[in-house]
């Protein structure tokens, strides 16, 4: 079975926001408000245990979160 791809929230060139999988050509779902896209994207990432990567209007990554396989896990282990 293919590995699930990370979930990104990106601005749509025609307006609004898209939640889409990494390397996907089409969005999983389109939203008018970023907050709605972020909520949907987080839930999808949690369900599939992948990274959630929101982007700003400028395309830069803002506060990514891991819900599974973290490529850069924290080094300090809290006890």
């Amino acid at each position: 079975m293919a590995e699930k791809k990370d979930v990104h929230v990106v601005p749509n060139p025609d307006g609004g926001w898209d939640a889409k999988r990494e390397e996907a050509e089409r969005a999983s779902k389109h939203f008018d408000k970023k907050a709605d896209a972020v909520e949907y994207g987080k839930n999808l990432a949690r369900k599939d245990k992948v990274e959630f990567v929101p982007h700003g209007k400028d395309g830069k990554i803002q506060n990514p979160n891991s819900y599974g396989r973290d490529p850069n896990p924290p080094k300090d282990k809290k006890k």
Side-chain angles (χ1 to χ4, degrees), residues 3 8 14-15 18-20 23 26 35 39-40 42 52 54-56 60-61 63 71 73 76:
E3 185 176 314
H8 292 252
D14 297 327
D18 293 335
K20 61 191 291 187
E23 300 175 12
R26 293 182 5 181
E39 182 180 345
Y40 175 84
K42 280 184 179 180
F52 171 68
H55 296 257
K60 291 184 180 176
I61 294 173
N63 303 319
D76 61 333

Side-chain angles (χ1 to χ4, degrees), residues 3-77:
E3 185 176 314
K4 296 277 186 176
K5 301 286 185 184
D6 295 340
V7 177
H8 292 252
V9 168
V10 295
N12 184 299
D14 297 327
W17 295 86
D18 293 335
K20 61 191 291 187
R21 297 230 180 245
E22 190 170 2
E23 300 175 12
E25 290 189 27
R26 293 182 5 181
S28 298
K29 198 162 183 183
H30 176 79
F31 299 88
D32 291 329
K33 296 180 184 176
K34 182 177 181 181
D36 295 336
V38 166
E39 182 180 345
Y40 175 84
K42 280 184 179 180
N43 287 334
L44 192 58
R46 277 188 198 110
K47 181 179 79 103
D48 292 341
K49 296 182 171 80
V50 296
E51 292 285 310
F52 171 68
V53 187
H55 296 257
K57 280 196 179 250
D58 58 4
K60 291 184 180 176
I61 294 173
Q62 303 174 327
N63 303 319
N65 203 338
S66 176
Y67 293 104
R69 55 178 178 78
D70 189 347
N72 297 307
K75 294 184 183 191
D76 61 333
K77 303 258 194 273

